[in-house]
Amino acid sequence: MAMHLGEYAPNLIMIGAGKVGSTSIYKYLRDHPAVCLSKSKELFYFLPSAIRESHKPWGAITTPEDYIAQFSHYKPGQAIVEISTNYYAYPESAALIKAACPQVKLLMVLRDPANRAFSSYNMRLRNVGDVRPLSKELTDTQSKFIQRGFYFAQLSTFLKSFNREQIKILFFEEFIANKQRFSQELCEFIGIEFFPWQQQYHGRPGGAPQKRWLHQLLSKQNPMRTAIENMLTAFIDEREVEEARKKIIQSNIKKVSLPPALRGQIIQIYANDIAQLEEFLGRDLSHWKKI
């Protein structure tokens, strides 16, 4: 894959992880006047070629020309930023990013790995449904949900290609506690002035659908949903139809919790990786180890 991006080489790439508020971070940076953010949230451009090809249905960018087009709204002096949730999980991505933009800054936002795995599992259960029972999926060290939580192991790959000063580690828990302070630290790392949050961005509701058929009907494009929406818009405003759809989806989602016994098992799986991350960062992550 040719990687000549010229002046459109990004200044910052968020390389992961998933389920850490990346959509809200994307929307915040989209509002920032000093940032030129990619038009699409996930570009998948720096994934290994085979993986990137498999992500075409989700809008994967495959050519330098298409990548550059994502930043056609660039204004001189802006920081070019791409937000991804999965580059960190692929060792090949580190080399691909290094080849295209060796001076780029990298952002990782980390979350309690047991909670992140549980949240990711529930999203897959909600949207696709092709998962094993919770107790099997989240105790299998080869499961994608678990693999994505070995943060230090995956960070180590990027440290072989990039200087430590190029990598910033922030935390989802701090993002939830104080978005303004989180964004101040992020802006400082990018090298731009702090821009206060203009809106309150809310992520997708967590949990599992009580009626899967209803969730699938209302959350995916399908002929029945289209017919219902067309019928309703003949009588009420299109925006009201959309609001009603969102409310029904949310009311159908049942909040679920990670069983303490299972959380204990997951924490044991991550114990060594968390210890290595603590030593590397010089930071206490004991709150990740609580059951």
Side-chain angles (χ1 to χ4, degrees):
M1 174 174 57
M3 285 289 192
H4 306 296
L5 301 177
E7 65 177 324
Y8 293 95
N11 301 101
L12 174 84
I13 299 176
M14 178 176 170
I15 58 175
K19 309 307 296 176
V20 297
S22 61
T23 298
S24 290
I25 294 169
Y26 176 87
K27 290 178 179 178
Y28 165 71
L29 291 174
R30 183 188 60 193
D31 290 343
H32 199 304
V35 171
C36 178
L37 192 64
S38 59
K39 295 174 184 175
S40 301
K41 175 172 173 274
E42 299 270 359
L43 302 186
F44 308 106
Y45 183 64
F46 294 108
L47 288 177
S49 58
I51 304 296
R52 190 176 65 250
E53 287 296 316
S54 71
H55 281 70
K56 276 188 174 180
W58 291 273
I61 298 298
T62 60
T63 68
E65 293 77 17
D66 286 342
Y67 189 89
I68 290 169
Q70 284 284 322
F71 304 97
S72 61
H73 52 295
Y74 170 75
K75 297 176 183 177
Q78 287 184 316
I80 295 176
V81 177
E82 178 194 347
I83 301 294
S84 173
T85 61
N86 57 9
Y87 288 156
Y88 80 110
Y90 297 94
E92 300 94 328
S93 290
L96 292 171
I97 294 171
K98 179 74 172 181
C101 37
Q103 303 305 316
V104 72
K105 294 179 179 181
L106 303 175
L107 170 67
M108 285 188 73
V109 181
L110 306 182
R111 177 183 183 178
D112 175 322
N115 288 346
R116 192 216 59 79
F118 183 59
S119 178
S120 184
Y121 173 90
N122 280 310
M123 183 177 73
R124 182 77 183 187
L125 175 65
R126 187 167 63 245
N127 295 336
V128 183
D130 61 341
V131 291
R132 293 175 291 174
L134 183 66
S135 59
K136 290 186 179 295
E137 197 72 70
L138 296 193
T139 54
D140 180 358
T141 58
Q142 299 307 308
S143 165
K144 174 183 173 181
F145 304 108
I146 293 297
Q147 281 288 312
R148 295 291 174 90
F150 290 109
Y151 302 135
F152 182 76
Q154 292 163 116
L155 173 62
S156 297
T157 300
F158 281 82
L159 288 168
K160 293 174 183 176
S161 297
F162 295 91
N163 296 327
R164 175 66 183 92
E165 295 74 23
Q166 289 177 262
I167 303 175
K168 182 72 172 177
I169 309 295
L170 294 175
F171 291 86
F172 172 76
E173 292 84 1
E174 293 174 351
F175 170 75
I176 294 300
N178 192 326
K179 289 183 175 63
Q180 300 290 359
R181 186 183 303 164
F182 178 96
S183 54
Q184 283 179 322
E185 198 167 347
L186 174 57
C187 289
E188 182 179 348
F189 179 61
I190 298 173
I192 57 178
E193 289 189 13
F194 167 64
F195 183 70
W197 283 70
Q198 301 300 296
Q199 303 179 49
Q200 288 300 313
Y201 304 115
H202 301 286
R204 302 176 186 90
Q210 300 178 77
K211 297 182 176 66
R212 168 160 291 282
W213 66 267
L214 181 60
H215 184 81
Q216 293 294 327
L217 172 65
L218 296 179
S219 62
K220 307 291 183 183
Q221 287 294 344
N222 57 78
M224 184 176 289
R225 172 183 159 185
T226 300
I228 293 171
E229 289 178 344
N230 288 342
M231 179 182 67
L232 291 174
T233 52
F235 301 98
I236 59 177
D237 187 87
E238 189 174 318
R239 287 173 296 179
E240 293 180 272
V241 174
E242 178 62 14
E243 282 300 311
R245 184 184 73 84
K246 290 179 179 178
K247 286 180 180 178
I248 296 171
I249 289 175
Q250 189 159 355
S251 67
N252 187 46
I253 298 294
K254 180 182 180 182
K255 291 289 184 181
V256 290
S257 300
L258 180 59
L262 179 55
R263 176 174 170 80
Q265 290 179 270
I266 299 170
I267 291 171
Q268 284 303 308
I269 291 172
Y270 288 128
N272 185 57
D273 192 82
I274 293 174
Q276 289 177 298
L277 188 61
E278 285 181 311
E279 182 177 357
F280 173 73
L281 295 176
R283 181 186 178 113
D284 177 22
L285 295 173
S286 59
H287 55 290
W288 283 2
K289 306 172 192 176
K290 293 179 180 177
I291 299 175

